[in-house]
Amino acid sequence: MASSGSGWREVVRIVTCLVTAVLCASVAVTSSAPPVAAASPSDRYTFRNVKIGGTGFVTGIVFSQARKGLAYTRTDVGGMYRWNGTTESWTPLLDWVGWDTWGYMGVASIAASPSNANKVWAAVGMYTNGVDPNNGAILRSHDKGGTWKTTVLPFHLGGNMSGRTMGERLAVDPNNDNVLYLAAPSGNGLWRSTDGGVRWARVNGFPNSGDDPQTPGGAEDAGLVWVTFDKTTGRAGTRTKTIYVGVADKDDPVYRSTDGGATWAPLAGAPTGHLPHKGVVDPVNHLLYIATSDTTGPFSGGKGDVWKYHTVTGAWTRISPVPSTSDDNYFGYSGLTVDRRNPGTIMVGTQVSWWPDGIIWRSTDSGTTWSRIWDWDAWPNRKLRYDFDVSDTPWATMGEQSNPPILVPKIGQAISSMEIDPFDSDHMLFNGGPGIAGTKNLTAWDTAGTVAITPEVEGLEEGAVQGLIKPPGGALLSAMGDVSGFRHDDLNAAPKTIFTSPVFTTTRSIDFAERNPKVIVRAGDFNDADRPGDSHAAFSTDGGATWFQGTEPGGVNVGGSIAAAADGGRFVWAPGDSGQQVVHSVGYGTSWTPSTGVPANAIITSDRVNPMKFYAFSNGTFHVSTDGGASFTATAATGLPASNWNLRVKAVPGREGDVWVAGGATWTTYGLWHSTDSGATFTRVSGVEQADNIGFGKAAPGRAYPALYTGALIGGQRGLFRSDDAGASWVRVNDDRHQFGGTPEALTGDPAVYGRVYFSGYGRGVLYGDRSVRPPR
């Protein structure tokens, strides 16, 4: 079905939150899940992820130093997860985040108490550039993230901004877990709590707010980027005296306090010219290590160094595996970690190395000498110290074959978070492969053995979903950001491959022929100059198992909106590039002909019965074609939303001329509309104050009309709703603990299972819900 493209959610939520939010100037305690009045009947549902494994960008990994087998990870848009070492799986911790606080799904930093395994904190907030209307917040939990309390900050945080892999920004005093520090972005300085994260105050004596040379003085300044403590300068129950803070300032990158944070000064002799991505203290050997790069990253940067500072003598030593002065240094450094059981062992990764792959280095003598995870052999071959087994997540090859020096699967180009388990020197996790990869025999590296690496993504589902379809009798198909898309024959098994032939960096739109459901079409993005032989539209005649492509109009880089005729014999496509004309094709894209009477960049969908009928929506006007997309005519329908933002147009299977429109970016036209006359007229559905998506599934027992699903505001309550009577009444199917970041970007019902709904969370991959007690089918 057609999608309106990315960005609508932020636009709509800005409007919503600007009207309803109270921007706190103080740091008062607020509830993490404020109670709301019941707005409609509810139906009990059980929710699960459709298994993919990873796909998104992990920005930080934090091991508990208080309990073995416990760790946390943060993502840029998909929330936070807890690692269970016994089950070797991740549990999502922020699924309670809803529409009003959607930005909390961007996690800027995590801190875990080193003395109490139950305590964990998270600094949350998606953007600092105005897109997220809410201020950032500090979440605190006394049950390992099972439940949370919230303190709202008087500024924004940027879990999905540049510099998001720097850190950790949030740190807890290893001698007193009532004391925490937050290194804030965007000129907001250093903040401290002395009551376990309940109240926060700015450390007014800290003299530098940071200076990101990419955006000096702007809202995207990385500012202060990490805090770390020298535990040996304190004792249990007191404040640690020596604290280090990394600052995005190429002239003064590290500051230190030796009096428990009362006074601060630049650390004498600190290296200049680069930004400090990571800072880690080895208290046993009295060393501070820093990893630096020339940009905040995470996907840019070409130079950097690794340094160690002797905390007793004050001596700085450059210990870069490849120094920035070398022509072989084309990367910055990040992903710095120390083996807490063997502190002389340290590891570091490339902030970003696009070709031929990322690089990890290991030293067992505090950085005097290094070995790397792969070395060059006789060109074009590489000698590997590792074996990467992705048999449990086979799509991680990204549909490619190894072609030396490029090998698949890749360990990861931006190895910015890497942590050795403080209880097990053989166990390491890093943000590689399909999201997180790990090893259980890391020390084999030191004896010329092979390090066995596998994806560690069980339960970690962070994909950005652009669209979902469930053809009758077919597999579930997903249009995805970053990883093209997937076909799921089994909801509990990772797919064997992504969509290929061609691969899209993001699939924007996907549809099937209702009366010939093995015919699938999708449209997506890539830079046409990089792959001039590929098309931005692809076709399948076997239900998405295999794909092929035809031709395309010139100048296309963005997929836009595409639809298949009910019989699969023709297609209509509105490419996403500004001004690109709508085109149609008889057959599978062997040629495309401009359509008339329809504006560029319209939202396209097909009638699900009449193969010659297509619909188009453009900025408040509804258009219909009865000649297979060759020409369109604007209908007289009025009262529809005036913009394409946040719009979904979908036609009902088995009913010609039955069309629904959901969305709107203004208060007067934001809701759900229904037409039974091919869009000649629309009736706004009463009782639905706002709606952002619509989907159809198997009708309820004894009903003829398909079950409807919508992400909406009904009766003053946001949620996911189902109607069994064509929209006359609704029941809420989710609850306050299962909001997944708010209204779904993608939504559809199951044509064969009553009550089953497939949808996307905000960065939480593909989810599905079933009624907890289902009647006989």
Side-chain angles (χ1 to χ4, degrees):
M1 300 293 180
S3 169
S4 62
S6 61
W8 64 266
R9 185 192 308 257
E10 286 76 10
V11 173
V12 175
R13 293 185 190 200
I14 287 173
V15 176
T16 303
C17 293
L18 286 176
V19 173
T20 61
V22 177
L23 300 180
C24 301
S26 63
V27 287
V29 182
T30 62
S31 169
S32 61
V36 294
S40 64
S42 61
D43 199 357
R44 294 185 61 185
Y45 263 66
T46 300
F47 295 98
R48 300 178 180 86
N49 267 104
V50 175
K51 186 174 181 178
I52 299 173
T55 79
F57 188 46
V58 169
T59 51
I61 299 168
V62 174
F63 272 97
S64 169
Q65 296 188 39
R67 181 173 298 170
K68 184 177 182 179
L70 177 61
Y72 301 91
T73 191
R74 58 184 170 96
T75 69
D76 49 10
V77 298
M80 173 180 172
Y81 296 77
R82 180 182 64 234
W83 172 255
N84 183 322
T86 301
T87 62
E88 298 186 345
S89 64
W90 297 95
T91 299
L93 300 179
L94 300 186
D95 283 352
W96 53 268
V97 172
W99 168 277
D100 291 335
T101 55
W102 60 272
Y104 289 6
M105 296 299 283
V107 182
S109 191
I110 295 171
S113 170
S115 57
N116 186 334
N118 292 319
K119 290 185 180 181
V120 63
W121 297 262
V124 296
M126 190 81 71
Y127 298 108
T128 61
N129 58 6
V131 173
D132 183 351
N134 290 317
N135 284 349
I138 301 296
L139 308 180
R140 63 189 187 278
S141 174
H142 285 192
D143 56 7
K144 296 178 288 185
T147 58
W148 299 91
K149 293 183 178 179
T150 304
T151 298
V152 177
L153 297 167
F155 51 84
H156 289 72
L157 292 175
N160 194 31
M161 297 295 291
S162 60
R164 58 190 178 273
T165 55
M166 303 170 88
E168 292 290 324
R169 294 179 178 274
L170 187 62
V172 56
D173 191 320
N175 289 300
N176 183 348
D177 67 7
N178 282 319
V179 178
L180 294 97
Y181 283 84
L182 173 66
S186 307
N188 289 296
L190 183 66
W191 288 68
R192 178 171 55 212
S193 172
T194 58
D195 58 4
V198 179
R199 295 175 179 83
W200 292 79
R202 183 162 182 166
V203 180
N204 292 320
F206 196 85
N208 194 334
S209 62
D211 177 20
D212 178 356
Q214 296 180 102
T215 52
E220 294 189 43
D221 276 0
L224 278 57
V225 293
W226 50 260
V227 180
T228 190
F229 299 83
D230 184 346
K231 184 179 180 179
T232 62
T233 63
R235 52 186 172 79
T238 67
R239 291 191 190 184
T240 299
K241 293 185 178 298
T242 299
I243 313 164
Y244 300 92
V245 176
V247 182
D249 182 339
K250 291 185 177 181
D251 296 323
D252 288 310
V254 183
Y255 282 70
R256 180 179 65 176
S257 173
T258 58
D259 53 13
T263 61
W264 301 83
L267 190 56
T272 60
H274 294 112
L275 301 175
H277 273 244
K278 304 286 182 182
V280 180
V281 170
D282 167 7
V284 175
N285 295 308
H286 308 292
L287 295 171
L288 166 70
Y289 297 100
I290 66 170
T292 72
S293 181
D294 54 358
T295 73
T296 58
F299 302 121
S300 64
K303 289 289 183 179
D305 279 303
V306 184
W307 295 82
K308 67 180 177 183
Y309 169 76
H310 199 286
T311 62
V312 176
T313 66
W316 282 95
T317 306
R318 180 161 64 178
I319 57 171
S320 310
V322 182
S324 61
T325 53
S326 170
D327 290 340
D328 291 330
N329 182 290
Y330 54 89
F331 39 74
Y333 291 98
S334 193
L336 179 67
T337 186
V338 172
D339 185 342
R340 301 292 177 183
R341 299 179 68 82
N342 298 287
T345 296
I346 62 174
M347 299 180 71
V348 72
T350 44
Q351 176 199 312
V352 60
S353 173
W354 294 111
W355 185 94
D357 201 351
I359 311 170
I360 299 172
W361 290 268
R362 180 174 170 89
S363 172
T364 57
D365 53 15
S366 301
T368 301
T369 60
W370 297 87
S371 56
R372 57 191 274 172
I373 199 165
W374 58 262
D375 291 293
W376 288 108
D377 201 354
W379 178 262
N381 298 313
R382 291 188 283 143
K383 294 174 62 176
L384 309 181
R385 293 181 184 270
Y386 70 93
D387 175 72
F388 198 175
D389 180 3
V390 296
S391 55
D392 288 340
T393 315
W395 65 265
T397 62
M398 299 297 287
E400 300 177 1
Q401 299 291 325
S402 291
N403 183 19
I406 305 297
L407 304 177
V408 294
K410 296 178 179 178
I411 59 173
Q413 286 86 359
I415 304 173
S416 47
S417 185
M418 180 168 54
E419 295 296 327
I420 299 173
D421 189 331
F423 292 93
D424 183 355
S425 298
D426 269 318
H427 184 215
M428 180 186 74
L429 298 173
F430 67 98
N431 64 340
I436 293 181
T439 179
K440 299 174 187 173
N441 73 327
L442 180 60
T443 59
W445 187 316
D446 306 326
T447 56
T450 299
V451 176
I453 298 175
T454 58
E456 298 288 0
V457 289
E458 183 66 35
L460 179 65
E461 300 288 347
E462 199 224 336
V465 187
Q466 306 297 306
L468 292 168
I469 59 173
K470 183 64 168 65
L476 177 70
L477 302 176
S478 54
M480 301 290 293
D482 301 323
V483 290
S484 197
F486 298 100
R487 168 185 162 121
H488 265 95
D489 296 289
D490 182 347
L491 302 182
N492 299 308
K496 291 183 172 58
T497 183
I498 64 172
F499 291 158
T500 60
S501 302
V503 172
F504 299 147
T505 53
T506 292
T507 297
R508 295 291 176 186
S509 179
I510 189 166
D511 192 19
F512 67 94
E514 189 72 43
R515 290 165 43 189
N516 189 8
K518 288 188 176 182
V519 174
I520 316 290
V521 64
R522 59 185 169 95
D525 305 354
F526 59 85
N527 189 335
D528 200 50
D530 295 336
R531 291 154 51 189
D534 282 344
S535 172
H536 293 75
F539 306 89
S540 174
T541 57
D542 57 10
T546 60
W547 297 87
F548 59 93
Q549 56 184 323
T551 63
E552 69 175 6
V556 177
N557 288 279
V558 182
S561 175
I562 200 164
D567 65 356
R570 59 186 65 225
F571 303 88
V572 179
W573 183 18
D577 307 83
S578 179
Q580 276 279 357
Q581 191 169 359
V582 176
V583 292
H584 65 282
S585 175
V586 178
Y588 301 110
T590 52
S591 64
W592 295 92
T593 303
S595 302
T596 62
V598 58
N601 309 128
I603 299 170
I604 306 295
T605 196
S606 62
D607 190 87
R608 310 313 283 181
V609 176
N610 186 339
M612 299 301 290
K613 189 176 289 187
F614 288 83
Y615 306 108
F617 180 92
S618 181
N619 299 320
T621 301
F622 198 83
H623 302 74
V624 62
S625 171
T626 57
D627 57 7
S631 63
F632 284 79
T633 301
T635 74
T638 59
L640 294 171
S643 169
N644 285 10
W645 287 109
N646 184 34
L647 250 293
R648 299 293 186 273
V649 182
K650 297 183 182 180
V652 178
R655 294 173 178 263
E656 182 175 354
D658 197 321
V659 185
W660 292 77
V661 171
T666 62
W667 292 108
T668 56
T669 53
Y670 187 4
L672 185 63
W673 290 263
H674 185 207
S675 173
T676 58
D677 55 12
S678 300
T681 60
F682 278 89
T683 300
R684 184 165 182 168
V685 179
S686 63
V688 179
E689 293 106 289
Q690 301 171 8
D692 298 291
N693 213 328
I694 186 73
F696 317 115
K698 183 178 180 179
R703 302 276 187 171
Y705 200 85
L708 300 179
Y709 300 92
T710 185
L713 177 69
I714 298 176
Q717 187 173 61
R718 278 269 170 198
L720 185 61
F721 295 85
R722 188 190 76 240
S723 174
D724 296 334
D725 52 13
S729 63
W730 299 87
V731 295
R732 188 185 185 204
V733 303
N734 72 321
D735 55 56
D736 289 348
R737 291 190 60 81
H738 298 91
Q739 300 189 76
F740 308 108
T743 292
E745 178 95 7
L747 175 67
T748 190
D750 192 299
V753 181
Y754 166 64
R756 177 171 291 180
V757 57
Y758 303 96
F759 63 100
S760 61
Y762 194 98
R764 273 282 284 114
V766 180
L767 296 127
Y768 70 104
D770 282 320
R771 299 183 70 222
S772 296
V773 179
R774 283 187 286 169
R777 289 191 286 168

